[in-house]
Amino acid sequence: MAFATTLQRLNPLAPARARFQRWWQSRLPLADTLRLTQRNVYILPTAPGWMLAATLLVLLVASINYQLNLGYLLTFLLAGCAAVGMHVAHATLRGIDLKLVAPDAQFAGTSTVLTVQLSSERRTPRRGIGLALLGTDHWTWTDVPALGSATVHVAFAPATRGLHRVPAITAETRFPLGTFRVWCYWRPAAQVMVYPKPEAHPPPLPPGEPKSGGAGTGHAQSSGEFDGVRGYRRGDPLKLVVWKKFAKAGELVSRDSPQTQQHVLWLDFAQAGSASVEQRLSRLCAWVLQADQLGLDFGLRLPGAEIAPGGGAAHQRRCLEALALC
């Protein structure tokens, strides 16, 4: 397969063929489900198929010239097998239902796994069906049982953060003889949210900012009682560190007093270092994950956008999406 792809790339007509394919694909409708019919399933002979056709032509000419009855028998027997193989190959794909499971959001630098379900209402199994991203050679092969379904996983790696459309997928089979290639094109409508790649070793969380309207209440709380925890900050006394939580989860957290609870944690783009935009977003992404893991409420400030302090999975997802689309 890789050798065939290399030959295709060396073909002088490859650029024109690629442009035609892009034009053809742009005319395909976007849908997360697709039923394969005669209108969207294509078939052509493979290289072995063309070789078989040439062999049959030679056998036929020789049989006519020398009046060989066994030659006629062999020629038409092989031609009949090839014709049956063509019908079986086309029927292997025709009638299958393809469904794309909505992909989960991913972080940049990781592969997004697409889950495709193949369902068949036929009473006989369908064998040798492969799926791959269009234009790649990473095929995943499966058999679809009779009156059943099969699941195939196809992976692709988005190059950048943001909202990406799922690339086109192709399904193919050469079952049973390999003399015909049957395939289809499919453009899913789903999109994948790609968050920035978290910084591997981010600095500690920034100190909290005083809450508006609560500056006068902090000094009144001096009983020495602690309630709640927060992420460890550089300079915290060791007596405030919750060592039991560190031994259990491996995270350094400090006890939080009512006075310090008068502060709110803001993750600010302007305070995320002086590196490039992508590195700042990477640090903010790591801080968002760290703050959520510690159970802290936090807000997010980005150029042109601000998310009020909050907590929980929904708040974390909202902040990560804002970082992805910033």
Side-chain angles (χ1 to χ4, degrees):
M1 184 66 70
F3 179 72
T5 304
T6 304
L7 290 180
Q8 291 177 359
R9 291 175 180 174
L10 295 178
N11 190 340
L13 299 178
R17 182 180 180 183
R19 286 195 296 271
F20 174 77
Q21 287 183 344
R22 286 194 294 269
W23 171 81
W24 176 257
Q25 293 167 21
S26 64
R27 298 174 59 85
L28 298 176
L30 294 170
D32 286 337
T33 59
L34 178 67
R35 184 174 182 83
L36 302 185
T37 64
Q38 291 184 345
R39 297 176 60 86
N40 52 19
V41 174
Y42 314 101
I43 182 170
L44 277 178
T46 60
W50 287 114
M51 183 62 68
L52 176 62
T55 303
L56 292 178
L57 181 60
V58 172
L59 285 176
L60 180 61
V61 172
S63 300
I64 292 175
N65 287 341
Y66 296 99
Q67 293 297 310
L68 298 175
N69 292 333
L70 290 179
Y72 284 123
L73 177 62
L74 179 60
T75 301
F76 290 116
L77 180 61
L78 293 177
C81 291
V84 172
M86 179 183 65
H87 173 74
V88 172
H90 194 267
T92 299
L93 274 190
R94 191 181 66 247
I96 284 185
D97 291 315
L98 303 177
K99 179 182 179 182
L100 176 68
V101 178
D104 296 329
Q106 300 289 333
F107 292 96
T110 60
S111 296
T112 300
V113 178
L114 305 176
T115 302
V116 180
Q117 295 178 346
L118 296 83
S119 304
S120 173
E121 299 177 351
R122 205 171 69 177
R123 295 182 180 276
T124 56
R126 303 171 187 264
R127 304 187 185 281
I129 300 175
L131 270 77
L133 298 181
L134 189 60
T136 66
D137 290 331
H138 303 290
W139 291 91
T140 303
W141 299 92
T142 187
D143 296 334
V144 182
L147 299 175
S149 62
T151 301
V152 173
H153 300 287
V154 183
F156 85 102
T160 59
R161 62 180 173 85
L163 190 60
H164 296 264
R165 187 172 297 284
V166 173
I169 297 175
T170 179
E172 176 183 317
T173 184
R174 303 190 183 195
F175 181 83
L177 300 178
T179 53
F180 286 91
R181 172 176 174 258
V182 185
W183 77 97
C184 71
Y185 295 134
W186 179 27
R187 294 180 65 204
Q191 295 178 314
V192 180
M193 181 66 71
V194 181
Y195 303 142
K197 182 179 181 180
E199 186 176 356
H201 302 288
L205 292 171
E209 299 179 9
K211 289 184 178 178
S212 59
T217 60
H219 65 278
Q221 305 293 339
S222 58
S223 61
E225 297 179 357
F226 298 99
D227 52 351
V229 295
R230 57 171 171 78
Y232 175 80
R233 298 169 189 163
R234 187 176 301 173
D236 282 349
L238 293 180
K239 64 181 182 180
L240 294 183
V241 176
V242 185
W243 295 106
K244 290 184 178 179
K245 189 173 183 61
F246 174 74
K248 183 178 180 180
E251 294 290 339
L252 277 176
V253 295
S254 301
R255 294 184 179 89
D256 202 7
S257 65
Q259 181 175 358
T260 57
Q261 289 177 9
Q262 300 304 318
H263 294 70
V264 60
L265 176 61
W266 279 100
L267 306 180
D268 197 332
F269 179 84
Q271 300 177 359
S274 57
S276 64
V277 173
E278 294 301 325
Q279 290 176 334
R280 291 189 184 189
L281 295 178
S282 178
R283 177 165 298 178
L284 288 174
C285 180
W287 280 348
V288 168
L289 297 178
Q290 185 177 357
D292 182 76
Q293 186 177 8
L294 296 174
L296 303 176
D297 290 345
F298 61 94
L300 181 64
R301 292 194 183 110
L302 296 173
E306 180 176 303
I307 298 178
H315 181 70
Q316 181 204 38
R317 183 172 61 253
R318 184 185 176 192
C319 293
L320 292 176
E321 289 178 355
L323 292 174
L325 301 176
C326 177

